[in-house]
Amino acid sequence: MPETPPCSSHEPSGQPHRLSFRTPQPYDTEATADVFAKAKNTFNWLIGHLTDAQTGTLAHNRLEETITEQGRELQRLLLQAHLDLRALRELEQVRHARHQDGGAAEVIGAGVIGADGVSRRRVELGHHRLLATVTGTVIVTRCAWRAPGVGNVYPADAALSLPAVRHSAGLAKLAVIETVRGSFDAALAAITTRCGQVIGKRQIEQLVAQAAADVDAFYAARTVLPCTASTVLAISVDGKGIAMRPEALRPATAKAAARARATFRTRLAAGEKPARKRMATLGVVYDAEPAARRPHDVIAVPGGRFGRRPPRARPNATRKWLCGSVITGPGPVIAKVFDHAEARDPAHARPWVVLVDGARHQLDLIIAEAARRRIRVHIVIDFVHVLEKLWAAAWSLHPPAAPAAEDWVAGHALALLAGHTGQVITTLTAQAATAGAQHRDGIDACIRYLSNNAGHLRYDQALEAGWPIATGVVEGACRHLIADRFDLAGARWGLAGAEAVLKLRALVANGHLEEYWTFHLARQHERVHQTGYQDGYALTA
């Protein structure tokens, strides 16, 4: 038994090309002899190694390492052998066509028409290109169809649906899976451990950007299952900053960064901002069965709850769909969210509830989009944001850490939930007069917030109808989609990379990666191969 496995070459016999295709007929001749000989030798060596007496003394970890390493090489050799078999069959087809034409170098009776309309009837054999796969790098050998003054056409590339780049679809998918989980460095380490040295960090970044190219088209073409008319259709939009490289900042942020003069060398002073972030906008659409509640199901009465009756459950979010963009502003994302919501409810028969945090720009865009589509929406300000404003007001009237502040907030919060917004504003205005001038900021800000958004604080109606009243779903999406991935220590993003990773993380969170990947590969095949031929892949007479 050999001590080492049979050697196999990874080196190409020619330079790689980028190309296109048609399906050759399978010709089984003596020329196809035994292209699987290397794979068979490697398999036989592995069997012999595992049955050797010395191997019987190895620990399980050494056995795992051997089988994993040699098993991957065996898979690579099997793939290489099949590609070689295809090359031999294509070569035999060309030789058969030449024999029909009396051995001419130019195939008179057949040819391939490229996208330029030119028929290519001259064939050159033995063109090679590399293909990096999850099992290792292989060599694809094929025939080039040529004509004077025009580029070559490679029909065999389309039969394999080869990408325009060196890396296979399987490797690209693995790069996407690993990149949406963690950093590009971590993705490179994971791929190298599994596949060997088949790709670099820069190539992973490029593959991920290319992989996200069809996300918008995928969702535009996807059919969404409908719900009953009573099911709440909830929409929410929010924004979160991503630390960008200087060239990827929005113009206003870039100008602010250029004007900034740091007070300290090693840290920011109070009120200073680094001016290095670009706002990404996230949108979410989800369904929720109505769950009616009362104010004290949301907030405990002053002094705490009594008795054993548990609070009623809030509406449960189901069929969540996320989207986002760092390139476009909030307007296009809001339009995309409304597109998806309309796909769920094209007749506008369901109650549409829009949950926002009170940002005026977002509110104006949402109201304008709903008016443009003639959709009646119920806008609800996130109750958690309202609570934060009440707590800020409480510290204008109470000393720090005063227990009475909690009951004060609970009392006003219950009044808001009961629909008494006007009374709360009046009471706060009267109480603000008793606060010292230097302590009024919090309560004044709360009064302005409630007054400006009074029309969207009808929590009594929302609770009675069983609607959600908080933006927890989109807030959680901001943490999951952006903070967990984009806020890694020291990370600075380019625009294309950030957009691609954000879209792919949303796609994975939606549970649509497998479905999307099939769609993406079909679109990629159209771009790379079907546009390279005027009349498909068949030879023309």
Side-chain angles (χ1 to χ4, degrees), residues 336-365:
K336 193 180 300 183
V337 165
F338 270 79
D339 286 340
H340 185 81
E342 278 202 290
R344 295 193 182 200
D345 181 28
H348 306 163
R350 297 166 57 186
W352 288 47
V353 178
V354 180
L355 297 153
V356 294
D357 60 9
R360 179 51 53 185
H361 181 54
Q362 285 184 5
L363 268 173
D364 292 342
L365 289 172

Side-chain angles (χ1 to χ4, degrees), residues 167-178:
H167 305 94
S168 72
L171 196 57
K173 184 178 180 182
L174 182 58
V176 168
I177 292 172
E178 295 297 338

